[in-house]
Amino acid sequence: MKEINLRAEDLQHKVIPIHMDANFFFERAVRSLDRYHYDKALKYFRKAVEYEPENPVNHCNMAGILSEMGDYEGSNAVLTNILEHVEPSMTECYFYMANNYANMDNFEEAERAIVTYLEQDTEGQFLEEAEEIIDLLEYELDRPAKLVRIKSREGMIEHDQARALMEEGKFAQAVEMLESIVQQSPDFLAARNNLALAYYYMGLFHRAKETIGQVLELEQGNLHGLCNLAIFYQHEGNTKALEHLLDTLSITVPFHQEHVFKLATTMGILGRHEEAYGHFRRLLKDEEVNEDPSLYHYTAVAAFNSARYMEAKRWWNYLLKMDPQSAIPKFYLAQLEQVLVHHKKYPKLSYQYHLPFEEQLKRWEQDEEGMSEEIKHNPLIRSSFFWALRYGDTGTKLQVIRALSWIADDEVKETLSAFLQEPDQEALLKEAAKQVLIEMGVAVPGDCIDAAAEVSVTSEQRPAVMRLPEWKGTWQGVVDQTLQHMDLSMERERKNNVQNLWTAFLGKLYPDTPLIRQPEGWSAALDYLTTKMHGGAVTYQEVAQRYGVSASTVSRYARRIHSVCSLKE
């Protein structure tokens, strides 16, 4: 065999040089990890640290390997070195240390480390995992964690509180809190969106629209902002801008479930029920949220409003199976039957997850006049009141009986008269129904009148003033307004009667006194009743004009005072 002799200069051209740097050892370490060769991986990561001692990632990788190998103390020593000498801002090291301490059953130190992580970390990269560790530590230590704040969720707790205030109707308090959050965290767009809504509900429309403009300046495609803007366009009657924006929203297919829900509800509010139905259907396919009964109701409403009646029936039947005790699917299925069998026409349904009468009772607190008119002319709302009278609990039935007194038409007379004949109804409810019928001028059996009189006498046994531990300024305002409108030459006795009648009325109702939303109406009613008591000739219309309210308002309040105080006696 022939011997091959290579010269030194030839070898120089044949050998491929190896560049020993941190990347070289990092890649070798990763390859070793893939093969579960932890010893080799640790050796290579240590070499990477030698080449780049100022790179905290290399140190972190070395700590991770030590932890995988069960050397938790060694891992924590490396992590401590990173925080003290390499990169103090690398707050995730505290998270890794907490894991190591937990594996060592050193729960006190684990708590210290995880609390430090949550209080210092701004990104919240391991927020969910950290919350799981907190749960574990609370169980092991048998006490709550010593956690004061979560840096990455700064403003989130306050934001949730502000949303809760909005749901309670406390918009001024919500605005104060949201303005503070936005000032401290200008990029917190969810807070800005809710601030815009709070302004809107307070009637500060210009500020609401200005705030939405700020949201869209910061993030042009912010879906919540665009949806809120569409609602505002509808409010101000800007049809052209609204249609243009709706065209954009109608072809938007959001990914996150929160965005899908926002778009679905917005489309429903704006009358785009087909689009709303499509988005609600998407949510029903999401296993994370499709256990929520209200979602099936929203889907059914969108189907009903887009004339997909059999689909609506299907979703309400699903809801009935999920929540068989709820009156909501039963009510809407009964109304749907009226549409399918009797071809009865109903207006578009609300997307609220409750019976229609419940929403009307809430609105009554703000607008008795408008609400009573809506009840009279909306067949769905009327039927929901009669449904609640039959199937509601005692408190609901009492509210409904009171509400029916505002309608006071022939159908109400027939319904309440039939209610009195039902043997299973409570005596309290029958007494309330009798009183409404008496106010409406319906003759009830003599024993009923005696019973009502007995109630009045029982109330009369205690002086009204003694039942009022406080006297509110709004109550006095009603009296003052009445006296201002009365003739200055009017006899003192009649003026005293105004104060006495109002005091007696409030005293008999206390502590269930009415909210004084419309003081002019109450003042007009007092004027009308005291004039009649003194033999004066006056009509509801005359008094109504003097106080700037409607005749029906005067009539309703006067009948209420009359029934409580038993003026005929």
Side-chain angles (χ1 to χ4, degrees):
M1 179 180 289
K2 186 179 180 182
E3 186 177 347
I4 301 174
N5 294 313
L6 294 175
R7 294 174 301 171
E9 54 267 28
D10 294 330
L11 286 171
Q12 234 178 355
H13 295 292
K14 299 289 183 182
V15 176
I16 301 172
I18 298 175
H19 297 289
M20 298 284 192
D21 59 10
N23 284 334
F24 170 79
F25 290 109
F26 174 81
E27 289 171 6
R28 290 292 179 97
V30 171
R31 257 183 261 154
S32 298
L33 275 178
D34 289 340
R35 298 184 178 95
Y36 301 103
H37 297 160
Y38 292 122
D39 289 338
K40 283 189 175 181
L42 178 60
K43 183 178 72 172
Y44 288 130
F45 275 132
R46 278 184 171 146
K47 293 296 288 183
V49 167
E50 288 177 16
Y51 275 90
E52 287 186 358
E54 302 302 318
N55 186 341
V57 175
N58 292 329
H59 291 267
C60 237
N61 288 329
M62 190 165 66
I65 290 292
L66 288 168
S67 182
E68 285 290 333
M69 296 173 69
D71 185 0
Y72 304 118
E73 289 184 0
S75 177
N76 277 351
V78 174
L79 294 167
T80 302
N81 179 62
I82 294 171
L83 291 168
E84 290 180 355
H85 302 108
V86 182
E87 184 56 71
S89 66
M90 201 167 181
T91 51
E92 59 263 44
C93 290
Y94 292 109
F95 172 76
Y96 302 136
M97 290 170 75
N99 275 284
N100 287 333
Y101 282 126
N103 285 319
M104 295 162 65
D105 290 340
N106 190 344
F107 301 118
E108 293 283 353
E109 287 299 326
E111 182 188 48
R112 249 190 293 277
I114 201 65
V115 166
T116 304
Y117 167 73
L118 289 170
E119 291 184 345
Q120 293 188 14
D121 183 71
T122 57
E123 301 300 323
Q125 180 183 357
F126 301 109
L127 183 58
E128 289 185 13
E129 294 88 343
E131 288 175 344
E132 289 177 8
I133 294 175
I134 289 285
D135 289 341
L136 168 68
L137 295 176
E138 287 182 347
Y139 174 78
E140 294 290 349
L141 296 171
D142 196 25
R143 60 170 172 76
K146 300 172 183 177
L147 182 63
V148 178
R149 66 191 178 95
I150 299 176
K151 181 76 172 177
S152 63
R153 298 189 67 194
E154 206 160 35
M156 291 295 293
I157 296 172
E158 294 84 351
H159 181 239
D160 290 341
Q161 291 172 345
R163 289 176 62 179
L165 288 170
M166 289 175 66
E167 289 172 4
E168 295 171 14
K170 298 175 181 177
F171 300 116
Q173 291 171 255
V175 162
E176 185 178 350
M177 190 172 286
L178 289 166
E179 285 178 338
S180 175
I181 295 171
V182 167
Q183 187 174 6
Q184 293 174 17
S185 306
D187 296 332
F188 197 164
L189 299 186
R192 283 188 187 271
N193 270 314
N194 280 314
L195 178 59
L197 289 176
Y199 284 144
Y200 175 73
Y201 294 136
M202 289 177 68
L204 304 173
F205 183 70
H206 177 72
R207 294 180 73 177
K209 198 171 175 185
E210 183 181 358
T211 305
I212 285 297
Q214 294 167 0
V215 171
L216 296 175
E217 278 181 20
L218 291 167
E219 186 180 305
Q220 188 176 5
N222 185 278
L223 188 63
H224 282 264
L226 291 171
C227 288
N228 291 336
L229 183 61
I231 300 293
F232 295 168
Y233 281 151
Q234 185 189 55
H235 171 85
E236 66 182 359
N238 191 343
T239 308
K240 185 176 180 181
L242 175 61
E243 288 300 319
H244 179 71
L245 181 52
L246 280 176
D247 288 342
T248 301
L249 291 175
S250 63
I251 59 173
T252 301
V253 183
F255 176 73
H256 296 292
Q257 59 184 225
E258 181 187 352
H259 291 163
V260 178
F261 185 78
K262 176 69 175 181
L263 187 56
T265 52
T266 301
M267 288 301 194
I269 291 170
L270 297 174
R272 294 289 191 99
H273 304 294
E274 286 279 355
E275 287 93 335
Y277 181 63
H279 292 304
F280 283 128
R281 285 285 307 276
R282 279 186 63 201
L283 286 171
L284 288 179
K285 296 175 183 177
D286 190 331
E287 293 182 357
E288 289 187 23
V289 295
N290 66 5
E291 294 298 318
D292 183 358
S294 62
L295 185 57
Y296 288 86
H297 175 67
Y298 304 144
T299 311
V301 169
F304 182 95
N305 288 344
S306 54
R308 298 170 179 266
Y309 299 125
M310 297 312 295
E311 288 292 293
K313 185 175 182 178
R314 174 187 168 199
W315 298 121
W316 275 316
N317 275 321
Y318 266 117
L319 175 56
L320 188 58
K321 289 178 184 177
M322 293 180 72
D323 192 5
Q325 303 303 316
S326 174
I328 294 174
K330 296 173 186 175
F331 170 76
Y332 283 104
L333 283 168
Q335 303 311 307
L336 184 58
E337 198 67 20
Q338 296 292 317
V339 173
L340 295 174
V341 177
H342 303 292
H343 305 291
K344 199 170 184 179
K345 289 187 177 181
Y346 284 123
K348 301 296 184 185
L349 302 182
S350 165
Y351 284 86
Q352 299 295 331
Y353 185 52
H354 49 55
L355 295 174
F357 83 91
E358 294 171 341
E359 178 65 18
Q360 296 306 311
L361 289 176
K362 289 179 187 176
R363 289 177 55 194
W364 173 81
E365 297 290 353
Q366 302 174 350
D367 181 15
E368 293 186 26
E369 182 77 21
M371 202 216 69
S372 61
E373 288 301 311
E374 186 167 355
I375 294 173
K376 288 179 181 178
H377 298 108
N378 189 320
L380 182 68
I381 295 174
R382 284 178 70 91
S383 61
S384 75
F385 271 82
F386 296 138
W387 172 278
L389 185 62
R390 179 172 295 276
Y391 298 107
D393 56 29
T394 300
T396 298
K397 289 180 178 180
L398 279 173
Q399 286 182 300
V400 169
I401 290 169
R402 181 185 171 197
L404 292 177
S405 69
W406 311 328
I407 308 175
D409 59 15
D410 290 339
E411 189 177 11
V412 169
K413 292 177 184 178
E414 292 175 12
T415 301
L416 292 181
S417 297
F419 185 80
L420 293 179
Q421 305 306 316
E422 296 179 12
D424 297 332
Q425 297 296 345
E426 296 178 37
L428 174 68
L429 298 173
K430 287 191 175 184
E431 206 60 60
K434 291 170 192 173
Q435 194 62 48
V436 172
L437 288 170
I438 292 171
E439 291 176 23
M440 294 170 62
V442 177
V444 294
D447 59 332
C448 294
I449 297 175
D450 293 340
E454 186 180 340
V455 172
S456 296
V457 172
T458 303
S459 301
E460 199 63 37
Q461 288 174 354
R462 284 182 290 173
V465 177
M466 296 300 291
R467 300 184 64 199
L468 291 172
E470 61 174 340
W471 183 258
K472 297 181 180 179
T474 52
W475 295 347
Q476 186 60 44
V478 171
V479 174
D480 293 343
Q481 192 167 176
T482 308
L483 297 179
Q484 287 173 9
H485 282 83
M486 294 173 74
D487 192 335
L488 291 174
S489 63
M490 203 67 68
E491 65 273 21
R492 177 181 295 275
E493 182 185 359
R494 183 178 154 194
K495 290 183 178 179
N496 287 340
N497 281 345
V498 170
Q499 179 75 56
N500 292 338
L501 178 59
W502 184 234
T503 305
F505 171 70
L506 295 172
K508 289 187 176 185
L509 290 177
Y510 190 85
D512 299 319
T513 50
L515 290 173
I516 310 302
R517 298 282 189 184
Q518 196 174 14
E520 300 84 1
W522 292 106
S523 296
L526 286 174
D527 194 336
Y528 174 85
L529 289 172
T530 51
T531 301
K532 285 289 188 181
M533 287 166 63
H534 286 262
V538 67
T539 65
Y540 289 132
Q541 189 63 44
E542 290 170 357
V543 178
Q545 288 178 353
R546 193 153 64 241
Y547 286 84
V549 294
S550 68
S552 62
T553 297
V554 181
S555 169
R556 187 165 61 255
Y557 287 169
R559 282 189 286 118
R560 182 93 189 280
I561 297 172
H562 183 286
S563 65
V564 170
C565 296
S566 303
L567 294 183
K568 286 183 180 179
E569 296 178 16

